[in-house]
Amino acid sequence: LLVLSGRLAGAEQGEAARRARRSGPMALGLLFGGGADCHGGGCDIGIDWRFAKVLDAGLTEPGELIDALAGRRQQAVLGADDFAEQAAPLRLLVRLLAGALRGGAAGVNVLIYGPPGTGKTEFARTLAAEIGASLYAVGEVDPDGEEPSRSDRLAALRRSQHLLARRGDALLLFDEMEDLFSEAGIFSGRGDRNRAGASKIFVNRLLEGNKVPTIWTSNAIDAVDPAHLRRMSYILRMGYPNPKARARIVARVAEAEGMAGAR
């Protein structure tokens, strides 16, 4: 099927399979073939479940396609005032990311880390809203709505980078970035040395070349390779908000959910 697809697209016999593998749909992970899909001298072509849903729904509008393929668009519930304790880094990050979007800068990455429940994801949503950019969360679920594998999340990240690279008004959110590293054998020396080394280089290039500014979150960075941390444009540590800040945030969320004044 790979050869047939390449031939139908106009490639010569000797180049057909290679051209098919390097085509846009395969580069975006919308179609896949080769490897485990090859048997008996031939290769099947599979279709990504997200792309299958797009085809089934007959989506054609650019905005609909982006929402279906790039990841779930995030909406801010809290405002800048709810992160008064992080006012200075918030202002700096607004300037940093807005400038990156205007200039089309590559390799811009922001890391927000801290214990669970400190508001890292909400901070990212508020940051995007302050800039006036759309924020897409990549690789959150698999076809069955379950936790995705590392390869699923990586494919989603690369696809979103390709889809949004030229828009100039989008940011990506990769929650729990340790997922990208731990299964690659990078954390705590796990895995064989060659694979860990190759994975480290791969992640370094991923961080250096991303065309869409990406916000990463993590619960802890103790085991993250220093080489990856050096490729972050800014690193922000978030702790638990104080009682006054928690009361303010709860009141804002209650108001947004129509529960203001409820007992």
Side-chain angles (χ1 to χ4, degrees):
L1 283 179
L2 282 175
V3 175
L4 176 60
S5 298
R7 293 287 284 147
L8 290 173
E12 296 296 329
Q13 179 73 24
E15 290 288 306
R18 185 180 67 86
R19 288 275 298 276
R21 289 192 182 94
R22 294 186 178 182
S23 64
M26 287 205 172
L28 291 175
L30 305 179
L31 300 176
F32 52 88
D37 302 305
C38 293
H39 51 83
C43 285
D44 292 336
I45 294 180
I47 182 168
D48 180 78
W49 65 274
R50 295 175 185 84
F51 192 37
K53 291 177 67 175
V54 166
L55 296 178
D56 290 342
L59 303 181
T60 57
E61 292 297 323
E64 294 177 332
L65 293 171
I66 291 294
D67 287 345
L69 297 174
R72 187 163 58 90
R73 192 181 304 206
Q74 304 293 291
Q75 300 295 330
V77 175
L78 304 178
D81 292 344
D82 295 308
F83 294 98
E85 292 76 12
Q86 292 85 25
L90 178 62
R91 289 194 298 269
L92 188 152
L93 287 171
V94 166
R95 296 196 301 271
L96 171 68
L97 294 174
L101 290 176
R102 285 195 304 270
V108 176
N109 298 279
V110 172
L111 170 59
I112 305 171
Y113 77 98
T118 52
K120 299 183 293 293
T121 301
E122 288 298 337
F123 182 87
R125 292 168 178 162
T126 299
L127 176 58
E130 289 293 305
I131 298 169
S134 298
L135 179 67
Y136 297 88
V138 299
E140 290 192 326
V141 296
D142 70 2
D144 300 316
E146 302 294 335
E147 181 179 4
S149 66
R150 177 182 185 266
S151 60
D152 290 334
R153 300 204 73 191
L154 181 58
L157 177 63
R158 298 179 69 180
R159 177 170 54 249
S160 299
Q161 287 283 349
H162 280 288
L163 289 170
L164 300 170
R166 298 182 181 179
R167 291 179 63 88
D169 63 351
L171 303 172
L172 293 179
L173 172 64
F174 196 103
D175 263 327
E176 300 182 4
M177 76 169 193
E178 52 267 28
D179 288 352
L180 185 61
F181 304 141
S182 59
E183 291 185 32
I186 297 175
F187 270 39
S188 304
R190 191 160 61 87
D192 66 83
R193 181 177 301 177
N194 289 336
R195 182 182 175 188
S199 297
K200 176 179 175 180
I201 294 172
F202 175 81
V203 174
N204 285 345
R205 298 295 177 262
L206 184 71
L207 295 171
E208 293 169 352
N210 62 307
K211 297 180 180 179
V212 181
T214 304
I215 302 173
W216 306 78
T217 73
S218 178
N219 294 331
I221 62 171
D222 297 350
V224 179
D225 194 293
H228 305 324
L229 297 180
R230 287 196 299 269
R231 285 164 173 79
M232 295 292 166
S233 308
Y234 191 89
I235 299 176
L236 172 65
R237 183 187 184 281
M238 292 189 67
Y240 290 110
N242 59 42
K244 183 178 179 180
R246 288 199 297 269
R248 186 177 64 241
I249 291 171
V250 168
R252 178 67 63 88
V253 173
E255 181 180 0
E257 297 294 331
M259 298 291 289
R263 297 291 183 182

